[in-house]
Each structure stands twice: as structure tokens, then as C-alpha cells.
Amino acid sequence: MEIAELHTGGCQCGGLRYRFMGPLKDIAHCHCSICRRVSGGIVTTWITLPGRAFEWLTGTPARYESSPGCVRYFCARCGAHVALVTQLSPDSIDVTVATLDHPQLAPADRHIWTQSRLPWLHLDEHLPREAQEVL
Ligand SMILES: [Zn+2]
Ligand SMILES: [Zn+2]
């Protein structure tokens, strides 16, 4: 049995704070073009959790439906991209590792959507790759 751990995070301005229980696993570097444009970053690293393990502590996130059934949660003040829930796996929530208080504890275990990857990006080359996300 895995020991439950408590992790916290939030956006840059402090308007959104969250916490979740669980081990830091199931972490993917996403190379899709939607994450790229929403975040403004060349890759977005997500940890996938059971939705019931996660709670917002401070603030109410703004919502943006980036594709049908896929809602992204972000800070309306500072713009930080914090979480995502998709109808493809409605019992899960994805949280951006970059907004964790201790992201150094959460290394990725794979790359997803590598068919959209920028050809000049070289990052964690030893990790397994999924051309599309495998649910
Ligand atoms: Zn903020
Ligand atoms: Zn993505």
C-alpha cells in the first residue's frame, strides 16, 4: 500500500491554492499544441490524480473549455494554468507540476502527444513516448 502524502501548490499571484493526497506518480510531459498555446510554454507537465484526492483551498479558478469536454482551470488574475478535467476520464484531474510548491519532487515518467512535439525540443530523452495520449 502506498503511503498517502499531502502536496500543495498554487498560482503565481497566490489567488489560487490547492492540495491533494497521493503519491507523485503518473506524470507526463504533454507536447500537444493546445497545452502549448494555453500555457505559453513549449511543454506542459501534468500529474494525473483521482478527482476526489484534490481540493481547491483558496480562490475560484476561471474555466476555459479548450476542446469539447476538456475544461482547463486557470487563475483569472495571473493567468497560471493549474488544472484540467476531461470527459474522457471524468474521475481524474490533471494538475500542472509547474504549480506545485515542490515540483522538484515530481519528475515525469513519460512523454505524451509526441506527434505534436517541437522538433528542436530535447528533454528527458530516455523516457517512453506515446504519440497520442493513452488513457
Ligand atoms: Zn494567480
Ligand atoms: Zn496537452
Side-chain angles (χ1 to χ4, degrees), residues 30-32 35 46 72 113:
C30 185
H31 295 270
C32 84
C35 282
W46 296 102
R72 292 167 188 260
W113 290 104

Side-chain angles (χ1 to χ4, degrees), residues 20 23-28 45-49 93-97:
F20 62 85
L24 296 172
K25 64 170 194 178
D26 195 4
I27 300 173
T45 307
W46 296 102
I47 180 167
T48 303
L49 315 162
I93 184 168
D94 291 339
V95 178
T96 51
V97 163

Side-chain angles (χ1 to χ4, degrees), residues 74-93:
F74 62 96
C75 176
R77 183 162 53 177
C78 72
H81 188 200
V82 177
L84 175 161
V85 174
T86 171
Q87 288 308 308
L88 296 174
S89 51
D91 296 331
S92 297
I93 184 168

Side-chain angles (χ1 to χ4, degrees), residues 55-77:
E55 69 177 322
W56 298 103
L57 295 174
T58 304
T60 301
R63 295 162 50 98
Y64 168 63
E65 190 169 7
S66 58
S67 56
C70 180
V71 175
R72 292 167 188 260
Y73 295 90
F74 62 96
C75 176
R77 183 162 53 177

